Every structure is written in C-alpha cells, then in structure tokens.
Amino acid sequence: MTLGFFRNLTKPKPTPVVEREHCVAGRTLPLKIVESARARRLTLRIDSGGQGLRVTVPPGLRRGEVEKFLDRHQDWLEQRLAKVPTRPQVRPGIKIPIRGVPHRIVHEPSKRGTVTVSRDERGQLLIVHGERIHLPRRVADHLKREAKKEIEKLVVKHTEAIGKRAKAIRYKDTSSRWGSCTSEGNLSFSWRIMMAPPAVINYLVAHEVAHLKEMNHGPKFWKLCEKLCPDTDRCKDWLKRNGGALQAIVFE
C-alpha cells in the first residue's frame, strides 16, 4: 500500500516536443513533433490560418519515419495550404467582422487613442483614434473588451443551466483552438471569436461550459452541448468553414 501511494504521487512525464521548421510550397513553417502515449499512428495537422504544422507520433518512433511521413504528405500539404486564406493586415480601409457584421476601419489620428463604433451610408464603421502605429493593437484590444463583456454573460447563463461554476475565465490568442476547459474548471477563449456571429459565440461558450460536466467528446457531452445550444451542428460547421479566415487576420 505504501509503495502504491507514493507511486500515485509521481508526476507524469511531460510530453516530449521537438520544434523545427519545414519547407512546403515555397514557405517555411514552424513544425512541432509531439510524442503522445495515446497515438497509434502518425497524424498531421495544419494550424488555423496555415501558420504552422503539427505531427503527433507514437512513443519511440524513429525520426526517420517522421521524415518519410512528411514526404508522403507533401502534395496534400501543398493542396491544403493553397486553400488557406491570405493573411490580411489590420489597417485603415479594410473590413473586419464584429459579431459577424463587417466593420470598415477608419483612422482618425486627431483624437486620443480610443475606439468607437459608428456607421455611414455604406455600413458599419470602427473608428480608431490615436497614432497610426498603434491601430492594430487598439482594434485587438477592442475585440478583447467585447469578448470579456459577451462571454462572461454567456458563461453565467450556461453554468447556471448545468449547476456548475467556472473557476476562472481567461482570454488568449491561440491558433490551435478556440476554447478550452481544464479539469480544475478554468475556461479559456480566443478573443477572436468576437468576429464570429452571435450564435457561434454562444456555441463556443456552451461547448466549453459543457466540459465542466463532461470532460470528453462522448455522446453525453454532445447531448448536453445541444441542450445548451440547439444550433450546435450548424455553428460547429460554420466555425470549421470560416474559422481559418478569422485566425489569419494579423493584428500587428
């Protein structure tokens, strides 16, 4: 019993990760090679926005096998990357969606560094004040503030519906996932989700809140997710089809 007790206290070994670069279609992309005890075969994934690659491998696989795997899938990578949207830079004159509605960015340097929403005869405007160099960051900050207001209300709504509480809510700019939920009850969301339509924002929050009760993607999880968000299938499909374009926007 004593030996077993101390064995349970042993911390699990961290997942080995190798980071390097990989050239494909004239582009040099960061590549992560991640060893997973649950992996039974090699899998390849392109990060949202086409900004990186990730190969998951079974434990103990020889490095040469990874190279052969990448060579075999070079054509597939080229075809998929060709479909990735270009990376538009946030600047005056372009449009970005806020809650799914396109807003044209207007720069007004004469005022202090604030962001206001307005409209003209052509549609919605996002007016950014202050120095031009700070414009992309101020647009990102505006989305972060909107995310905090919107998402916290939705978290309260959905946690009350399932009788669970979130320990903390965090906002990040992640390229590999839109949200996450830890076993401790910490929720994380990409603030970029504020560019999606309201129904999709609600779906994402419902999805992560459902994990407070079901830490998996089994039938019980999806049943709970659909109870919280009846539009789950439609919104999940929207995010799959359009999420890459939102991730591709450059706020620098």
Side-chain angles (χ1 to χ4, degrees), residues 130-149:
E131 295 182 40
R132 168 66 178 82
I133 192 172
H134 301 309
L135 183 143
R137 176 176 57 80
R138 290 202 169 104
V139 173
D141 288 344
H142 176 75
L143 290 173
K144 292 173 188 177
R145 289 191 296 269
E146 292 298 300
K148 190 172 187 298
K149 284 193 301 184

Side-chain angles (χ1 to χ4, degrees), residues 174 176-180 188-190 192-193 204 239 243 246-247:
T174 53
S176 59
R177 58 176 62 186
W178 286 100
S180 64
S188 295
F189 299 95
S190 169
R192 289 175 181 259
I193 197 64
L204 177 65
L239 204 52
L246 302 185
Q247 294 284 12

Side-chain angles (χ1 to χ4, degrees), residues 154 193 196-206 229 231 234-240 242 246:
L154 290 169
I193 197 64
V200 178
I201 300 169
N202 178 60
Y203 157 70
L204 177 65
V205 177
C229 174
D231 283 341
R234 182 173 64 86
C235 293
K236 183 170 65 170
D237 181 63
W238 189 97
L239 204 52
K240 183 177 181 180
N242 300 285
L246 302 185

Side-chain angles (χ1 to χ4, degrees), residues 79-188:
Q79 292 171 11
R80 292 297 297 269
L81 287 169
K83 297 178 181 178
V84 172
T86 56
R87 302 200 72 203
Q89 174 80 42
V90 170
R91 63 185 186 277
I94 75 161
K95 290 183 178 180
I96 66 165
I98 301 177
R99 293 180 176 87
V101 178
H103 286 61
R104 181 164 51 89
I105 297 176
V106 176
H107 181 218
E108 291 188 358
S110 58
K111 300 180 182 179
R112 297 190 63 178
T114 58
V115 177
T116 57
V117 175
S118 184
R119 68 173 295 117
D120 63 10
E121 66 279 0
R122 291 186 291 171
Q124 293 292 111
L125 304 175
L126 191 67
I127 303 174
V128 186
H129 307 292
E131 295 182 40
R132 168 66 178 82
I133 192 172
H134 301 309
L135 183 143
R137 176 176 57 80
R138 290 202 169 104
V139 173
D141 288 344
H142 176 75
L143 290 173
K144 292 173 188 177
R145 289 191 296 269
E146 292 298 300
K148 190 172 187 298
K149 284 193 301 184
E150 184 98 357
I151 289 174
E152 288 184 1
K153 289 188 296 185
L154 290 169
V155 168
V156 170
K157 172 186 172 183
H158 292 310
T159 52
E160 287 180 350
I162 67 170
K164 294 284 187 178
R165 293 185 63 184
K167 184 177 179 181
I169 307 172
R170 300 187 176 98
Y171 303 92
K172 302 178 179 181
D173 188 12
T174 53
S175 60
S176 59
R177 58 176 62 186
W178 286 100
S180 64
C181 174
T182 69
S183 57
E184 292 81 19
N186 297 317
L187 302 178
S188 295

Side-chain angles (χ1 to χ4, degrees), residues 23-68:
C23 295
V24 56
R27 301 169 61 182
T28 301
L29 298 175
L31 167 67
K32 284 187 179 181
I33 303 171
V34 182
E35 186 177 285
S36 171
R38 294 182 295 178
R40 295 293 177 266
R41 58 188 178 85
L42 290 88
T43 58
L44 174 61
R45 188 181 74 190
I46 301 174
D47 289 341
S48 296
Q51 296 308 298
L53 308 173
R54 179 187 179 99
V55 176
T56 303
V57 304
L61 191 77
R62 291 182 299 177
R63 189 60 47 81
E65 295 300 315
V66 176
E67 301 304 326
K68 292 177 183 177

